[in-house]
Amino acid sequence: MKNERANSNAGKKKTHSPSMEENVTWDTTAALNELKNWSEDKKINWSQVARQYNIPGKNRGQVLKEFARKNGLDTYALDGLAENRRTRAKKLKMPGNEISMPCTSTTQMVKEKWAADIEDGTYSIGIDCAPKEMTVVTCRDGEVVEQPVAIYSRKVPMNEIRQRLLKNQEKYMRLQTDEQVDALSKDEAIKFLKQNQEHQFADMEITELRAKVKSLQRNRHLVMWHDHGTILGQGYIFITVKVIYDTSVFFRKDEYSLNCTLNLQGTIEKPEVHVIGIASSSHEDQAALIPERVSCLRTLNSPIMTTAGIPINDTVRFFAGDGPARNFERGVQQGGTIRCGACGIQTSMTSDIAHALTLKWRTLQEQQDIIIAGKFGKMSTLKPFENLRKAELELELAQRGITFPKKTNKIELEANLLGLLSGFVRVPTLLLKDPCQTLQSINMDKYTILECEPLHDLKGHIHNLFVEVEEHFDTCVKTDHAAQQYEVVCLKSINTENEERIFETAKRIASTTSNRKPEQVLPNMLLRLQAGAQKDRNALEEQNNSIRIAAAHLPCVENTVISKDMTRKYAFSWQAHLNRIAPYLEPGEGFWWREEKEGYEFFDGSDQPDIKVCGPTLLHFRNTFIEKLDLEKQKLFQKLVASTNLPAETIRIYDDSGYCTSVIDRDNFQHTNSGLCTSTTPINVSLTEVESSIPAVVHVPSQHPQSSQPAVVPSQHPQSSQPAVVPSQHPQSSQPAVVPSQHPQSSQPAVVPSQHPQSSQPAVVPSQHPQFTENKYKTKTANAIAYVIGQTDEINSLDNLRINIKKMKGKKSGQLTELTRKYQHLLAFLKKKVQKRSDELDTSELHMKNMAMKVLLEIEQQLHACENK
């Protein structure tokens, strides 16, 4: 009934004049004649005239005025006002003064303005895409009704974003015409290329140099980002695009204006919303947007035009996001034993800096080649290798050139396949709908998924890196990748804090300006995000200014000094670090570093220049890729080892297979150009090779000085057939100590006089290796661990568990699962002991150091196999 009354009264206007059918007590004819003859020079008072004719009611003036209007009189003229002028309410004024406050725009005015802005392209509400079936629950006549509806995501086409960005950024761009570029001299072109980190132009002619300048000025690079959030109880995914600030495309701050206070880089790198989709954090919902994203990427082949008719090309260069977003974009497993899609490092090895620094950056092309090498990787599914049967596993491995005996069980086949995939579960996500298509076909051949998000990943982790808190296991990897990325692109450009702020703005918009219906929330949210971007940017600029002022008062950073004791203790990690900074070592000592008595000082303080004439030259993301840069550094470091003094006492030489072929003593090399200590012991070997290197019997002298038994340890040099005798640190000992010879050609023991003059006999020193009398255990793993750390009760338990697991091989039972779990935990415990023992060994104990490294690698492989099972 209430709705019926509302509908019946809809459109009715309020009136004060009486109807002619009603009883009127006042003289309407006389009043009408007086009003018709009213003088225009005299201002009317409606209430006063109404009293003359005894019109009843407090609103008698309004009644008379309405009566005159109904009878065709111009009441505006009687009031002395312009025609159809609307009487407005009194303006609001600020308290205590006469300054008026602005009136708020009406809803109709806002709608009209937005409609005009959408029409001319200032704002965009996008287009419908990727429909998702949802159920709307309503209550009708006391009954709950569920109705299925299709809710569409909203996408702003990539070309629209490119045009809007160009419109906003055109005043900051160089944009030289063809005639202006063709007028450049060779020196001017070379100067421009050098200023923008381009170095490959030595053999170019003038026409090629001009074409290079033109290409640089007209090619922008884009960064993509996406993440999930919950708004009004519903999951949403936001995908954004932004341009990276590039000085070859945009002016520098001093070139734009001498007194420029504008944050030019921040203005250029403002993100634009590309897609807002209704999606949960599940991969299935995210994958629904892949066709829409790919269709937009294909349009990048076509350039867009400036107002002057200059073509501008865009290239998607990077993806920046948090861990889950990176894993989805790359197509690697979530969690598990491999946390990093770029290098594929095992979780248990992330605390090993030497291992993390030597891993190769894996490209998207390499990932695609690995996945589609077999049959099932070519399927357009999110997890093509999941739940394969044994026959399917055999077929997949056979197509990859790997065969196994027929008796091999399914668990071993799965473990081998997972080892080949190395954390990958599918092709890169943008290739999911057609795994065999090339990256070039969707304009993603230069696409790099960055594995570290500055601030988001590294906040507070630098402290954890130095205190070596075990819980922060992935700190070394993130810090390593941050350094790699910083060599190529400014970390500020890939910082996604501005993108993260979109969620807070979207939540505020949805909760205050929408009716909370999903089909209406998205267009409203997309429109208001664009409209409020300028306001948010101003607030952000104020915040950045405050941070800049505070940062200006920070103390200067001093040069870094690394003690020699630390380089000896962490020799492997130190060499891996030197390999990473090889371009700064190439000029030699005195340019970027110098040797002191107690350590090495690196010139990286705040007062040091960023660039020196001696090199290296700065790199740029336009022409530098991380994976190629690592290979170049490795080759350069190998070259430097033979020709340049390095800040290290010993350098290990490895072949392509990871085998340590020799160790160079830098002090001897520096003075005598000799000192090669060859070692054919490989780093990456199985426990069979480790066990074969363990002597059958090792006699360990007592820790008491009265002991008269020699200590026999294996020689580090295979050509040496006799042990070497060196002086003991215990003067009262009357027997020589036998240790490995340091001379590969020596066939006799080397007798060295005792350092204690009162001792008349060569002294006996206790063995530096733990006590190990024989291959006591039944398994190779137990024997190898015992050789490194000595015999313990834990090793005995590990040996028994290993034997029991082998006996139950192929059987499925809860007992086997429990034994495997115990074996895994015990192996992880012993791994820490082996690692501790390895850290205690110095460079003089190279053989034992290598043995410990081999054992650690084998333990890692067994732990990985246990986790897969």
Side-chain angles (χ1 to χ4, degrees):
M1 295 298 294
K2 181 178 180 181
N3 293 336
E4 293 178 359
R5 288 196 301 270
N7 293 332
S8 63
N9 294 328
K12 289 187 176 181
K13 293 184 177 180
K14 187 176 181 180
T15 179
H16 303 283
S17 62
S19 174
M20 293 297 100
E21 292 80 9
E22 296 178 358
N23 294 325
V24 179
T25 60
W26 51 279
D27 189 355
T28 57
T29 304
L32 183 61
N33 291 332
E34 183 179 356
L35 293 175
K36 287 181 179 180
N37 298 321
W38 195 272
S39 175
E40 295 181 357
D41 299 334
K42 184 180 178 182
K43 187 176 180 180
I44 189 171
N45 187 327
W46 294 99
S47 297
Q48 184 177 356
V49 175
R51 290 191 190 97
Q52 293 177 5
Y53 291 96
N54 298 321
I55 299 176
K58 294 183 178 180
N59 62 336
R60 56 177 64 92
Q62 293 178 341
V63 171
L64 180 61
K65 188 174 184 178
E66 186 70 22
F67 170 76
R69 188 180 294 115
K70 277 191 173 184
N71 287 274
L73 296 180
D74 186 2
T75 57
Y76 288 99
L78 293 174
D79 287 330
L81 302 175
E83 186 177 359
N84 296 330
R85 177 178 174 180
R86 179 184 175 186
T87 303
R88 296 182 178 272
K90 184 179 179 181
K91 287 187 177 182
L92 295 176
K93 295 184 178 181
M94 298 183 65
N97 53 48
E98 296 300 320
I99 301 176
S100 61
M101 300 176 64
C103 299
T104 58
S105 301
T106 64
T107 304
Q108 184 63 30
M109 293 172 60
V110 172
K111 288 182 178 180
E112 292 174 356
K113 183 178 184 304
W114 279 3
D117 290 340
I118 294 172
E119 185 68 25
D120 63 16
T122 304
Y123 301 136
S124 173
I125 59 173
I127 58 177
D128 291 337
C129 67
K132 181 180 180 181
E133 294 294 330
M134 299 183 67
T135 301
V136 176
V137 180
T138 58
C139 183
R140 295 180 181 175
D141 299 330
E143 294 183 0
V144 177
V145 179
E146 295 184 357
Q147 181 181 1
V149 295
I151 306 299
Y152 289 83
S153 301
R154 306 293 294 186
K155 178 183 74 171
V156 181
M158 185 67 77
N159 276 342
E160 282 190 27
I161 294 177
R162 295 169 64 194
Q163 289 285 2
R164 189 184 309 129
L165 288 172
L166 180 60
K167 181 180 178 181
N168 297 333
Q169 299 171 359
E170 190 169 351
K171 57 186 175 182
Y172 308 120
M173 300 175 70
R174 297 183 184 276
L175 297 179
Q176 289 182 302
T177 62
D178 292 345
E179 293 76 12
Q180 290 174 324
V181 176
D182 292 339
L184 294 176
S185 65
K186 186 173 183 179
D187 292 339
E188 290 174 335
I190 291 177
K191 179 181 179 182
F192 178 81
L193 294 176
K194 286 183 176 181
Q195 288 177 343
N196 292 280
Q197 293 79 49
E198 292 289 336
H199 312 288
Q200 304 298 328
F201 52 80
D203 300 328
M204 289 186 179
E205 300 294 336
I206 181 62
T207 55
E208 295 175 317
L209 291 172
R210 291 169 178 168
K212 184 71 173 177
V213 172
K214 191 182 300 183
S215 174
L216 293 182
Q217 292 183 354
R218 302 179 181 182
N219 189 10
R220 299 181 301 183
H221 291 83
L222 308 178
V223 179
M224 300 196 73
W225 169 90
H226 62 68
D227 203 354
H228 283 83
T230 302
I231 300 175
L232 300 179
Q234 174 65 50
Y236 288 86
I237 180 173
F238 286 76
I239 303 176
T240 66
V241 178
K242 71 178 179 182
V243 176
I244 310 180
Y245 178 70
D246 184 355
T247 55
S248 67
V249 180
F250 302 98
F251 291 113
R252 293 181 176 85
K253 194 171 182 178
D254 56 344
E255 292 176 322
Y256 180 69
S257 175
L258 292 177
N259 299 320
C260 179
T261 59
L262 176 69
N263 181 6
L264 200 56
Q265 181 176 355
T267 303
I268 298 299
E269 295 177 348
K270 182 183 75 69
E272 291 284 341
V273 177
H274 177 34
V275 178
I276 301 181
I278 297 179
S280 65
S281 59
S282 68
H283 288 185
E284 289 75 13
D285 283 358
Q286 298 179 59
L289 296 171
I290 293 176
E292 301 295 335
R293 295 178 60 191
V294 172
S295 65
C296 283
L297 292 173
R298 294 185 188 277
T299 63
L300 294 177
N301 285 331
S302 304
I304 56 176
M305 296 296 176
T306 66
T307 54
I310 300 175
I312 301 296
N313 297 291
D314 292 301
T315 303
V316 178
R317 184 65 179 86
F318 297 113
F319 173 84
D322 58 10
R326 292 195 299 262
N327 291 342
F328 172 77
E329 191 76 4
R330 180 176 271 275
V332 300
Q333 65 187 27
Q334 297 280 4
T337 59
I338 297 179
R339 294 294 184 92
C340 181
C343 61
I345 189 172
Q346 294 286 336
T347 304
S348 53
M349 294 295 291
T350 52
S351 60
D352 188 341
I353 300 178
H355 179 67
L357 292 178
T358 54
L359 291 177
K360 179 178 175 291
W361 186 286
R362 304 182 295 182
T363 65
L364 298 182
Q365 185 62 58
E366 292 172 349
Q367 176 182 347
Q368 184 187 21
D369 295 340
I370 291 174
I371 295 298
I372 66 175
K375 173 184 177 181
F376 296 96
K378 299 174 183 178
M379 299 171 60
S380 299
T381 58
L382 289 170
K383 297 180 180 179
F385 303 105
E386 190 175 51
N387 299 325
L388 295 180
R389 295 190 295 270
K390 181 179 178 181
E392 294 172 335
L393 288 169
E394 292 175 344
L395 175 61
E396 180 71 20
L397 290 170
Q399 291 186 348
R400 296 172 181 271
I402 301 174
T403 57
F404 290 90
K406 292 184 178 180
K407 294 183 179 181
T408 306
N409 58 36
K410 181 181 177 181
I411 295 177
E412 292 183 6
L413 295 175
E414 287 178 340
N416 281 275
L417 179 59
L418 291 177
L420 290 174
L421 298 178
S422 187
F424 297 134
V425 296
R426 59 178 177 274
V427 293
T429 300
L430 291 173
L431 301 177
L432 183 61
K433 298 304 177 182
D434 185 5
C436 295
Q437 66 180 325
T438 62
L439 290 166
Q440 291 84 350
S441 65
I442 59 173
N443 300 311
M444 301 299 284
D445 50 312
K446 295 183 179 180
Y447 193 44
T448 299
I449 299 175
L450 301 174
E451 289 298 329
C452 175
E453 185 182 359
L455 296 183
H456 193 282
D457 284 345
L458 296 178
K459 182 180 179 181
H461 283 201
I462 299 301
H463 172 71
N464 299 328
L465 173 65
F466 287 104
V467 300
E468 299 181 3
V469 179
E470 186 174 354
E471 288 76 4
H472 302 278
F473 57 86
D474 54 351
T475 300
C476 296
V477 178
K478 289 181 177 180
T479 308
D480 171 36
H481 291 326
Q484 288 178 293
Q485 293 169 191
Y486 191 38
E487 289 186 89
V488 177
V489 60
C490 174
L491 293 184
K492 184 178 180 180
S493 297
I494 55 176
N495 177 24
T496 60
E497 294 304 309
N498 289 340
E499 287 84 344
E500 298 281 354
R501 292 186 178 97
I502 291 178
F503 282 110
E504 293 301 322
T505 306
K507 289 179 181 179
R508 185 173 63 253
I509 291 173
S511 60
T512 58
T513 66
S514 72
N515 58 5
R516 298 176 179 256
K517 294 182 179 180
E519 64 273 15
Q520 297 180 9
V521 166
L522 284 179
N524 174 68
M525 187 188 303
L526 185 58
L527 181 61
R528 291 180 181 270
L529 280 174
Q530 299 171 58
Q534 182 62 45
K535 178 181 177 182
D536 294 339
R537 185 162 62 249
N538 293 339
L540 180 61
E541 185 62 27
E542 293 179 4
Q543 180 182 357
N544 290 337
N545 289 336
S546 300
I547 296 174
R548 232 178 270 120
I549 294 173
H553 294 83
L554 291 175
C556 295
V557 179
E558 301 294 334
N559 289 342
T560 302
V561 178
I562 307 295
S563 67
K564 292 184 178 179
D565 290 339
M566 180 175 288
T567 62
R568 296 187 197 104
K569 183 177 181 180
Y570 303 102
F572 291 90
S573 300
W574 180 244
Q575 180 171 332
H577 173 68
L578 294 180
N579 190 33
R580 279 291 173 86
I581 62 172
Y584 290 90
L585 303 178
E586 185 178 13
E589 184 177 358
F591 291 94
W592 289 103
W593 68 278
R594 67 182 176 188
E595 184 175 359
E596 297 180 345
K597 182 177 181 181
E598 299 297 332
Y600 305 100
E601 180 182 3
F602 290 85
F603 306 143
D604 56 357
S606 302
D607 57 343
Q608 296 292 335
D610 296 330
I611 307 174
K612 294 184 180 181
V613 178
C614 62
T617 57
L618 292 181
L619 306 176
H620 202 279
F621 57 81
R622 288 190 308 265
N623 49 32
T624 306
F625 296 87
I626 297 176
E627 61 274 9
K628 295 181 180 179
L629 183 61
D630 290 344
L631 295 176
E632 293 174 359
K633 287 182 180 179
Q634 186 176 358
K635 294 178 181 179
L636 176 60
F637 185 77
Q638 293 174 354
K639 176 183 176 182
L640 295 179
V641 167
S643 60
T644 307
N645 184 29
L646 298 176
E649 296 180 349
T650 57
I651 298 294
R652 292 164 180 78
I653 307 300
Y654 301 94
D655 60 13
D656 295 337
S657 302
Y659 288 81
C660 180
T661 58
S662 61
V663 178
I664 299 179
D665 186 335
R666 296 306 304 174
D667 291 335
N668 292 341
F669 178 84
Q670 180 179 358
H671 296 99
T672 64
N673 200 25
S674 63
L676 288 178
C677 178
T678 58
S679 172
T680 58
T681 306
I683 297 298
N684 300 323
V685 294
S686 65
L687 280 180
T688 303
E689 296 172 279
V690 177
E691 194 177 53
S692 64
S693 301
I694 300 175
V697 178
V698 179
H699 299 285
V700 183
S702 169
Q703 299 296 322
H704 303 286
Q706 309 299 336
S707 174
S708 60
Q709 296 297 327
V712 182
V713 295
S715 171
Q716 297 180 15
H717 312 287
Q719 298 177 356
S720 177
S721 59
Q722 298 292 336
V725 181
V726 298
S728 169
Q729 297 177 2
H730 306 276
Q732 298 179 3
S733 176
S734 58
Q735 297 295 333
V738 184
V739 297
S741 171
Q742 299 180 4
H743 306 283
Q745 306 297 335
S746 175
S747 60
Q748 299 294 331
V751 180
V752 185
S754 172
Q755 297 178 4
H756 305 277
Q758 296 180 358
S759 175
S760 58
Q761 298 292 336
V764 178
V765 294
S767 172
Q768 297 179 357
H769 306 306
Q771 183 174 357
F772 181 73
T773 57
E774 59 181 352
N775 292 346
K776 173 182 177 181
Y777 304 104
K778 298 178 181 180
T779 61
K780 299 175 183 178
T781 304
N783 284 320
I785 295 175
Y787 178 66
V788 177
I789 67 174
Q791 298 175 6
T792 65
D793 294 338
E794 291 84 1
I795 298 179
N796 187 47
S797 300
L798 184 80
D799 190 51
N800 294 332
L801 285 171
R802 183 70 171 173
I803 295 299
N804 293 333
I805 291 174
K806 287 183 177 181
K807 289 179 180 179
M808 301 182 67
K809 188 176 182 181
K811 299 179 182 179
K812 292 184 178 180
S813 65
Q815 184 180 2
L816 177 59
T817 303
E818 182 63 18
L819 289 176
T820 304
R821 185 186 64 81
K822 291 182 179 180
Y823 181 81
Q824 182 183 3
H825 290 175
L826 191 55
L827 194 63
F829 171 77
L830 290 171
K831 175 205 165 186
K832 295 181 180 179
K833 286 198 169 186
V834 174
Q835 183 68 59
K836 182 179 179 181
R837 174 61 181 160
S838 175
D839 294 340
E840 293 173 351
L841 297 171
D842 57 25
T843 55
S844 63
E845 300 174 288
L846 179 61
H847 178 73
M848 179 58 72
K849 188 84 172 179
N850 285 341
M851 287 296 178
M853 292 296 295
K854 299 172 199 174
V855 174
L856 283 173
L857 290 173
E858 182 63 24
I859 290 176
E860 292 304 327
Q861 295 177 5
Q862 291 196 21
L863 287 174
H864 178 60
C866 290
E867 290 178 2
N868 290 334
K869 292 179 182 179

